[in-house]
Structures are given as C-alpha cells and as structure tokens.
C-alpha cells in the first residue's frame, strides 16, 4: 500500500438517514489533503470514521502508519497546565517530549498556564502539540487555525509545511479556503454524502469552468461582476459605462477564488 489512507465504499447511517453513501478517496504519502463540505454534507462523520472515533456501517478504511489527531475541541481538565498535559500524553504514548516541537509551536510560552486560562490560539497550539507527541505518520487537523490572529495563522501554516517536509501526511478539515489553497496538494468535496469532486485545486478550477470576477472602479465607486465569457462580458459592460458617460479609473479581472469554486461544486451548481 503506497497511499497513507484508502477509503472505499464508506457508508454510515443514523437511523433511517444515510449520511455517507459509499464514498471513495485516498491520500498519498506525504501529501496535505483537505476533505471539504458544507454543513450536513457528511464531512465530520467521514473524518470520525477514519479516525476511529465512530463506527461505520459498510466499506473499508486502510491506514498505512500511526495517527495523531488534533480535534477542534478537547476534554482536558480546566486546571491542567500546558506542560502537565504534554507530559501526561507523553506517558500515555510511551514517548519522549520533543522540546524542539514545543518551541516551534510556542507551547513554552504558556507551559505553566491552566487550560481554562488559555486563549483559543494557545489551546489550538497545545492540541497540535499533543497530537504530535507520538511522532505519528499521519496527522489529522480539524480547523487548526480557527481563532488565531494573522501572525499566528501564518506561523502555524509554516509549521504544517515543516511537518510535510518531514514526510508526514496531513489530513486537514478547514472552512478557510485561502488556507486550503495555500497548503493542500489535493482536496475532496463532499456533497450530500457523496464525493462530488476529488483532485487538485487547479483541477477544481477547470472542472467548474472559466468563471471570472470583473471589478471596475469609477469616480462613483466600485462595481463587481461575475462572468463565464470574459470577452463578451467586458464588451457589454464597457459599452454600458460609455453610454452612462462614466470614466473608468481601474479594471481588475481574476479567475475567481477557490471559495467560489467550492461553493459551486458543494451546492451542485
């Protein structure tokens, strides 16, 4: 098995409601992979099945390597201190504490702070440190930068790239499309319990089509238009501005954001 993870025909129901309807996806060794989907698409259920936190009804999950899981929230005692949690998890995993990893994540800065007193960003960093204690081959990250400021997000992104450089496989769940586009090698989009798309970000753009954003600035303000045919749309828009005798100060055209492409696939548009 050359892939870090293979999921085939995964099914899961809650009563009569079928949440996962036989999904298939794989994650290559050393890749950063994102599983995406709007609320209710089955993303959380799929991840929990893969992580071993929830039983599934059918299909197969094959994992090649050890796992470390960073959940969005953790049931740590309110009064446990940061370094106490680190040593506790190290003992559970029969592992030594990687001081360089703690330093890179900034855990030393709140080592003696109680969990209940930590900021959201500090908790995120501690959760990731605990997930990495056993030096896993595959790391699951659930909204790893939620609640972090810009500097904290950039720092954590850089560390995630460091993990990839070390040969680790990263499975990411995120609502931040800019984060996904910046970090991920491949993505899969769930829609109504099925995989609606699997591939790279560029392949997603091609699958959606040539969807453009046109931003035009005049002395009266800025207007934004969406278009599938850039030539025809620009001709029509510029003619309209000319008839209204509006002086154009600036024009910007781009292919649309990953978020827009994701929404189109996720909603079946």
């Amino acid at each position: 098995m050359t892939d870090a993870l293979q999921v085939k025909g995964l099914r899961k129901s809650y009563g009569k409601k079928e949440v996962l309807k036989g999904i298939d996806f794989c994650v290559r060794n050393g890749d950063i992979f994102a599983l995406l989907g709007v609320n209710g698409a089955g993303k959380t259920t799929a991840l929990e099945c893969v992580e071993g936190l929830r039983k599934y009804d059918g299909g197969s999950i094959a994992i090649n390597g050890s796992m470390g899981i960073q959940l969005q929230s953790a049931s740590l005692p309110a009064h446990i201190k940061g370094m106490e949690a680190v040593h506790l998890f190290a003992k559970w995993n029969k592992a030594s504490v990687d001081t360089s990893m703690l330093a890179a994540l900034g855990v030393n800065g709140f080592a003696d702070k109680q969990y209940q007193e930590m900021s959201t960003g500090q908790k995120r960093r501690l959760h990731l440190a605990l997930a990495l204690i056993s030096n896993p081959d595959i790391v699951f990250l659930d909204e790893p930068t939620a609640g972090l400021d810009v500097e904290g997000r950039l720092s954590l992104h850089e560390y995630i790239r460091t993990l990839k450089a070390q040969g680790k496989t990263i499975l990411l769940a995120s609502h931040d499309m800019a984060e996904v586009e910046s970090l991920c090698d491949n993505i899969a989009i769930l829609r109504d319990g099925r995989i609606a798309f699997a591939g790279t970000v560029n392949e997603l753009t091609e699958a959606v089509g040539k969807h453009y954003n046109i931003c035009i600035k005049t002395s009266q303000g800025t207007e934004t238009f969406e278009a599938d045919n850039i030539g025809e749309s620009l001709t029509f828009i510029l003619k309209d501005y000319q008839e209204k005798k509006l002086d154009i100060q600036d024009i910007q055209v781009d292919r649309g954001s990953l978020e827009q492409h994701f929404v189109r696939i996720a909603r079946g548009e």
Side-chain angles (χ1 to χ4, degrees):
M1 178 177 172
T2 57
D3 292 323
L5 171 66
Q6 291 181 354
V7 176
K8 295 183 179 180
L10 186 62
R11 294 184 175 275
K12 174 64 182 177
S13 297
Y14 298 111
K16 295 182 178 180
K17 181 175 176 58
E18 191 176 21
V19 178
L20 300 178
K21 303 174 182 178
I23 67 171
D24 302 275
F25 67 90
C26 65
V27 182
R28 297 180 305 187
N29 276 312
D31 270 7
I32 301 179
F33 177 93
L35 184 62
L36 310 174
V38 297
N39 291 337
K43 177 176 84 290
T44 299
T45 296
L47 288 175
E48 289 178 345
C49 289
V50 172
E51 293 165 347
L53 301 177
R54 190 174 298 277
K55 292 183 178 180
Y56 50 96
D57 302 322
S60 65
I61 299 171
I63 299 171
N64 182 18
S66 58
M67 296 190 301
I69 302 172
Q70 178 253 322
L71 299 174
Q72 194 173 134
S73 59
S75 300
L76 290 173
H79 300 290
I80 195 170
K81 295 180 180 178
M83 196 55 69
E84 289 175 342
V86 168
H87 286 298
L88 179 62
F89 273 65
K91 187 173 183 179
W92 279 341
N93 288 277
K94 297 180 180 178
S96 58
V97 176
D98 184 348
T99 55
S100 62
M101 178 267 288
L102 297 181
L105 289 174
V107 175
N108 296 332
F110 51 90
D112 295 324
K113 183 181 288 189
Q114 291 184 346
Y115 187 71
Q116 64 179 357
E117 298 173 343
M118 295 179 190
S119 66
T120 300
Q122 289 172 338
K123 289 179 179 179
R124 287 281 185 275
R125 290 174 178 276
L126 178 60
H127 297 163
L128 179 52
L130 298 180
L132 295 173
I133 285 291
S134 62
N135 192 26
D137 303 305
I138 307 168
V139 184
F140 290 82
L141 304 179
D142 191 354
E143 301 289 345
T145 59
L148 294 181
D149 57 21
V150 174
E151 185 179 359
R153 289 160 60 85
L154 292 175
S155 174
L156 197 53
H157 285 174
E158 192 59 36
Y159 191 71
I160 291 172
R161 293 188 184 96
T162 299
L163 293 176
K164 174 183 168 66
Q166 293 172 357
K168 297 190 185 301
T169 303
I170 313 292
L171 187 58
L172 177 72
S174 175
H175 286 93
D176 186 340
M177 293 299 106
E179 178 172 87
V180 170
E181 189 167 15
S182 170
L183 293 174
C184 293
D185 300 295
N186 286 278
I187 61 176
I189 299 176
L190 269 171
R191 181 176 71 229
D192 190 29
R194 293 185 172 89
I195 297 292
F197 172 83
T200 66
V201 172
N202 287 337
E203 287 170 345
L204 173 61
T205 302
E206 293 301 322
V208 171
K210 294 182 178 180
H211 183 68
Y212 294 92
N213 294 323
I214 303 171
C215 184
I216 298 182
K217 181 180 179 182
T218 68
S219 58
Q220 296 187 5
T222 301
E223 287 187 283
T224 301
F225 306 89
E226 294 184 0
D228 292 321
N229 187 307
I230 186 66
E232 291 181 4
S233 299
L234 265 178
T235 300
F236 177 81
I237 293 169
L238 294 176
K239 183 179 179 181
D240 182 57
Y241 273 68
Q242 187 178 28
E243 290 175 353
K244 293 177 180 178
K245 297 183 178 180
L246 293 173
D247 291 329
I248 296 175
Q249 298 175 344
D250 188 34
I251 298 177
Q252 294 182 353
V253 179
D254 65 62
R255 281 289 301 270
S257 66
L258 176 62
E259 185 170 3
Q260 290 172 317
H261 300 322
F262 161 72
V263 169
R264 280 189 153 195
I265 290 288
R267 292 179 178 174
E269 297 176 356

